[in-house]
Amino acid sequence: MSDLPQVPHKTRACESCARAKAKCVWSNRQKQGVTICERCFRGDFLCIVPQPGPRKRRGKSTRVKIIEQKLDGIMSMLGEKHHLLQSSPSSQPTPSPELNQTPPSRTFVSSTCIPISQALSDVPRPNQPVPPRLYSAVEEQQLREQVVEIAPGYKMSFEEAEHVLHEYMTTMLPQFPFVPLASTNVYEMSREQPVLLKVILHACRPPSQSIRAEFEQWFRHQIAHQIVVLGARRLELLQAILIFLAWNDFRYYADSRQTSLLQLAAGLVSDAGLNTCPEGPGPIPKNFVEDAKVLRMEIKPREHHTNPERRTVLGLFYIASSVSLLLSKSPCLGYSSYFERCCDILIRDQQYPTDILLVQLVRVQHIAAKVTKMFMESSEAMDRGPQRGFYAMAMPIMRTELDQWMAQLPMELKSSTILCSHYQAILIRLFEPAIHIPASEWPGSALTRAQRVWDCFQNARTLGESLLQCPVADLSRATFALTAHLALAVIKIIRLLCWEDPDWDAVTASKIAKIDELLQKLSDHFEAASRVRGPRRIVIHENQDLLTRYAERLRSLMEWCSLHLVQPPAPADLNTTVPDVLVSNALDQLGDFEFWQSMANSGYGYLSTL
């Protein structure tokens, strides 16, 4: 073993083998006194071994540098935020009073264009309470001296605004539980949710009519600037639209031009995919461009929705379905099966006590949407005889579903005024087609038709009586739905008391209804509500307190009913007074004749035959 030639130690491949990417095997063969490899020896190649160069010292990895840069950026941001908190209460500029202009300089810090999911990344999740922001004594004093300019000439101190936000969460939220606040800190909301803050303060403390008109103009310009110009898709804007629409006068929805905000909100919900399940396959591509993106896998997976997003889309459905039921308009946002899943998640999380009421409001409006859709789709076939049998079969089916919903309500919600008014309003619309189908074409007996008309009349009367059980303090806090339900009930009662039909006895119905007594009690109820202090107690409309205006209109209508409906008319009037004239005279007592006439005649796309 010791006699075998020793093979030299291999350092690296020669240049010839390296270029040929061949294995370089060293041996003890020599050529011209130089040791060469086996491949160069057999091929008679020049075997040159490159000399090793100096080894380069490895520096820090790129990833470490990136992490260090991020840490430096975070520390600088924290330092700037600490400096801002110390200097902002005394140096924050006052908003410009010109609300009819929306230059970019008026936008707040949170008005940048970011997706909804990113805007909600800091929203607290259930069971993860956020510790309150602690301020020093000097900072608290400086914050108290700050003001929020809601509209030109209408300002509110931070201290009063925080008190108003607390009132909103305790007294206003139970009337419309779709926009709860994660925090009532005014300073944080003024920086992160400025539009929502102003809308809530305006709804809870409404100013005079002139200032309110300027605020509404500013709000529309702000929404247009944020969404159309800046392309913002923040959840705050949707929530602000909901608050603005919920606590507006119900006559606001009669003009189709005024519902553009509702249509805009529905478009934002659809664009953000809030009305569809995020775990699902997503919407079907609408054109070849979207289809190509799907094939190339360029569409990113959708993120999970948060509870604030779920409440917002459910609140928009609630408003849209309420307007559709009351004014017989096509809803801008239909019901989705995903909404029921949203309700189940909110009940499971139990983040707010008002979520139980929210879920029941959505479920009853689901029934209302089915009633509206069922009758509106078939109204064009009203002249066909077989279609009339559909009404006779559909009425008891929907009545059973509605009664089952009422039976499953929790005990604490069975006496809820808003839920009861929704229940009665749906029944009024459900039995209303029996009024419009002539007696000769009714698919059943005359007794069945008379029963359906009586059910419509009785539920309208019950709705008015149930409103008397509502605490007077809640009348000023109620949303548009409660007063709209009352308007619907009053109009249908008067319409039926003036109705002439072989299957209907208006005189007997008038004696049972005692419409004059009911209107007097309702007028006194609204008059008492106008004297109660609290949020939204004074809502000025046409230079008059809105609750006082309602009381006066009901009182005028009561006097008219006592003269024309309760007391028998004189013989000379029997030949000259017709039902249409009586109804028109009654509507004159309410003012806004065209609006009340449209509500009296509304009925799933066709006019009354009276």
Side-chain angles (χ1 to χ4, degrees), residues 114-403:
I114 58 176
I116 289 180
S117 59
Q118 182 178 351
L120 295 175
S121 59
D122 296 333
V123 174
R125 295 296 192 270
N127 302 326
Q128 293 183 3
V130 178
R133 169 75 166 90
L134 299 179
Y135 298 96
S136 63
V138 177
E139 290 177 338
E140 290 183 357
Q141 181 62 29
Q142 291 175 340
L143 289 177
R144 291 192 185 99
E145 297 175 357
Q146 285 292 100
V147 295
V148 180
E149 186 177 15
I150 304 173
Y154 185 39
K155 301 180 181 180
M156 187 178 298
S157 66
F158 272 33
E159 186 175 8
E160 183 182 359
E162 192 156 340
H163 178 68
V164 172
L165 292 182
H166 178 72
E167 283 186 353
Y168 168 80
M169 289 295 293
T170 55
T171 62
M172 303 281 283
L173 187 64
Q175 305 294 328
F176 188 75
F178 297 95
V179 188
L181 300 179
S183 173
T184 57
N185 187 290
V186 179
Y187 177 67
E188 293 179 359
M189 286 195 67
S190 64
R191 297 179 64 250
E192 300 173 3
Q193 298 175 306
V195 180
L196 179 61
L197 173 63
K198 289 188 176 183
V199 173
I200 291 178
L201 296 180
H202 174 267
C204 294
R205 292 290 188 273
S208 62
Q209 184 177 359
S210 59
I211 296 180
R212 190 172 78 246
E214 293 184 4
F215 175 82
E216 292 181 358
Q217 184 181 10
W218 169 84
F219 179 73
R220 288 179 174 277
H221 286 179
Q222 185 72 10
I223 293 297
H225 178 74
Q226 294 283 340
I227 297 176
V228 180
V229 180
L230 300 180
R233 294 296 184 268
R234 301 197 313 275
L235 184 66
E236 174 208 0
L237 302 178
L238 280 174
Q239 293 175 330
I241 293 176
L242 289 186
I243 297 295
F244 180 80
L245 294 176
W247 276 286
N248 219 318
D249 187 22
F250 67 92
R251 287 175 292 185
Y252 173 85
Y253 298 95
D255 189 355
S256 59
R257 295 173 300 176
Q258 302 297 335
T259 56
S260 57
L261 285 176
L262 195 60
Q263 300 287 346
L264 179 61
L268 290 178
V269 166
S270 179
D271 291 343
L274 297 181
N275 57 338
T276 56
C277 181
E279 292 86 359
I284 300 176
K286 301 178 181 178
N287 48 56
F288 70 93
V289 177
E290 294 183 0
D291 198 6
K293 289 183 178 180
V294 172
L295 294 177
R296 297 176 60 181
M297 302 182 67
E298 295 181 358
I299 298 181
K300 298 180 180 179
R302 296 184 295 175
E303 299 182 0
H304 292 274
H305 296 157
T306 61
N307 283 343
E309 290 176 326
R310 296 186 182 100
R311 293 189 189 93
T312 302
V313 68
L314 293 178
L316 182 61
F317 165 74
Y318 170 78
I319 293 179
S321 57
S322 298
V323 174
S324 176
L325 178 76
L326 294 169
L327 299 177
S328 300
K329 294 184 177 182
S330 299
C332 62
L333 181 64
Y335 186 83
S336 171
S337 58
Y338 174 61
F339 292 170
E340 186 61 31
R341 182 178 178 184
C342 292
C343 293
D344 294 338
I345 293 176
L346 292 177
I347 291 295
R348 180 199 64 192
D349 294 344
Q350 295 183 357
Q351 189 174 5
Y352 296 95
T354 53
D355 285 343
I356 300 177
L357 175 62
L358 181 152
V359 170
Q360 298 304 329
L361 287 173
V362 172
R363 287 174 177 171
V364 72
Q365 284 305 107
H366 180 205
I367 301 176
K370 289 194 289 186
V371 171
T372 305
K373 181 180 179 181
M374 180 173 56
F375 289 127
M376 288 186 69
E377 287 182 349
S378 56
S379 61
E380 297 179 356
M382 191 65 189
D383 295 332
R384 296 199 296 266
Q387 189 64 35
R388 306 190 187 281
F390 169 76
Y391 290 96
M393 292 186 296
M395 287 180 187
I397 295 175
M398 298 307 302
R399 174 64 184 270
T400 301
E401 182 176 355
L402 195 58
D403 289 341

Side-chain angles (χ1 to χ4, degrees), residues 510-536:
S510 178
K511 294 179 180 179
I512 296 176
K514 298 180 180 180
I515 182 63
D516 56 333
E517 296 182 4
L518 178 61
L519 293 175
Q520 180 63 53
K521 293 179 181 179
L522 288 171
S523 177
D524 296 340
H525 204 54
F526 277 95
E527 186 68 30
S530 66
R531 295 190 294 267
V532 176
R533 298 189 60 183
R536 287 184 57 84

